[in-house]
Amino acid sequence: MRLANYGQSYPLFIENPADTAYKLPRPDIVKRYFPRNGDVPSVSIEANFFRAQKPQNGIRFVVQGGSTAAGFPYGFGASIAGMLDPRLKQTFPNHYVETVNTSLAAVNSYTNLDMVDEIIEQQPDAVLIYMGHNEFLGILGVGSNYTAANSRSSTLLFLTLKNLRIFQLMQNIYHDVKHTDRDETSNSQQGHSNTFMAKVAKHKSIPFESDLYHAGLDQFSGNLDLILEKYRWANIPVFISTLTSNLLDQAPFSSAPMPENIRLSLEQLIESIKQGKQVQQRLLQVSKTVEESQNAFANFQLGRIFYSLNDAKNAKKHLLLAKDHDLLRFRAPEAINKIILAKALKYDAVIIDAQKRFELRSKHGIVGNNLMLEHLHPNVEGYFLLSDAFYQGIKNAKIFSEWQNVEPQQAWQQKLLLPAEEYFGFAKILQLKTDFPFVKNRTQLTLPAPQNWEQQLGLDLFEKKNDWLNMVQKSQQGYMNENNIQQLLKTQLIIADALPYNFEANNKAAELLETLGQKKRASTYHQRQKWALQN
């Protein structure tokens, strides 16, 4: 079958067609989990390059995870890899630093486990992991429409067999026979919704402590065992983060109906508070009743009441219960963080406590829209906070003898994310919120008019009137017209990183850095120039 060219291989890393001295993670890697002509989700890894042969002075970091690790909705510039890379380059000025992103939306521990052996082959000096939110409804998850098998053992077997051509043949035959009925059912159930979240949730109700709930936890626990064991066996340090999400401002997506007695009690509490009455004793009574009810909506509403009264302890308790009892599991329950902490201790991985970092930056230690865009994706400040948590964790681990510290304020000013990309991300989130599960019925997207030329470029990118590289080049021209040197530098560095094999792009980056007195920072781009000339 291979001789007849039947089937397909989907290696995680492929040669860069423009210059085979560089590799990149395969953008359409998700296809490896689906049959021919299957309903493949439109998710991909954003292009980012590294040397095919690791340089002698190279330090290589690889990031694994889902959409948050990948920087959704802004893109690579907001991702863990994108935020860390320029900072790590300055931290190790005598080395050629590469921060490789393999994260993409909708994947969970199965797909991350499937990538481990190929990542190890690339000789990373450390692996950074942020995953767990997609464990129930992500690709291959226990509650997903994109589940390959009905048990963990069967799914692991699928991961082993998927590259065999005979297996692909059987998979394709089965799909071709069954796809019509499945597609009709899916379309009927989802009302032709246009978002991935609308399509992925096969099980829209996974109650707390149910069999399916525990299957998701067991899946994550077992897969994380295998992931961390492989990296420990390969002697590769792992930095793995706890998860954070929007507790304060994201109501549960789905809940059992609120009991009438609880609904009335909450309404009476709110009215009494408005009238300035003392409600402390009554609050404690209602708190016990609501906690025992395990009702997500009731816990969320009571948590908000406690928050308004500055009772941080009880507010956090009920808001966490609201998340844990949310039947539609697009946010990881707290049990996932407990597993992460236990497995990190077991396999000597370094814990990055992003959850705590976000809480310290939030009023009453409760994360809301101050750092989140919706249920779990950070805003730009939140993404920087996440990357800084990893940076400080790498520093404190002291696994690298050389370390020239880059302070957070400097790193924030030098982040390689453009205002046009921020507007693009803003538009993506508004689009996301027009559909399931944020609204019952899909609504029309309405975007505010751009306030300047940068936002206009972001809108053009969102509406696909421009591609990403053209947007960066137009941004560069705009900053040149304004004589905005710092933004001009950012655009040139972004272009050089997007085209590491291009002599002219890297030459301009090096020259501009040296003109601005940043000679050490220019070393990366000079090294690329030499390689480009050799080719």
Side-chain angles (χ1 to χ4, degrees), residues 41-43 67 72 105-106 133-134 137-138 143-146 186 189-190 192-204 250 253 326 328-331 374-377 428-429 431-439:
S42 57
V43 297
S67 56
F72 180 87
H133 281 306
N134 298 330
L137 301 181
S144 173
N145 266 315
Y146 299 103
S186 176
Q189 290 175 343
Q190 300 299 344
H192 301 282
S193 290
N194 63 347
T195 67
F196 178 75
M197 293 179 76
K199 298 176 182 178
V200 70
K202 178 180 181 181
H203 293 280
K204 296 179 176 61
Q250 178 61 63
F253 288 122
D326 190 340
L328 185 58
R329 298 200 173 275
F330 282 117
R331 289 178 294 179
E374 17 74 325
H375 59 307
L376 56 81
H377 294 108
K428 289 279 285 185
I429 288 297
Q431 181 185 55
L432 185 72
K433 289 184 175 181
T434 65
D435 209 336
F436 174 89
F438 298 95
V439 293

Side-chain angles (χ1 to χ4, degrees), residues 493-524:
L493 296 180
I494 290 171
I495 292 171
D497 288 342
L499 305 171
Y501 46 85
N502 184 284
F503 176 85
E504 183 179 0
N506 286 275
N507 182 55
K508 286 182 179 179
E511 287 182 348
L512 193 51
L513 285 167
E514 289 184 338
T515 299
L516 295 173
Q518 301 181 44
K519 292 185 177 181
K520 287 186 177 181
R521 200 177 174 192
S523 62
T524 290

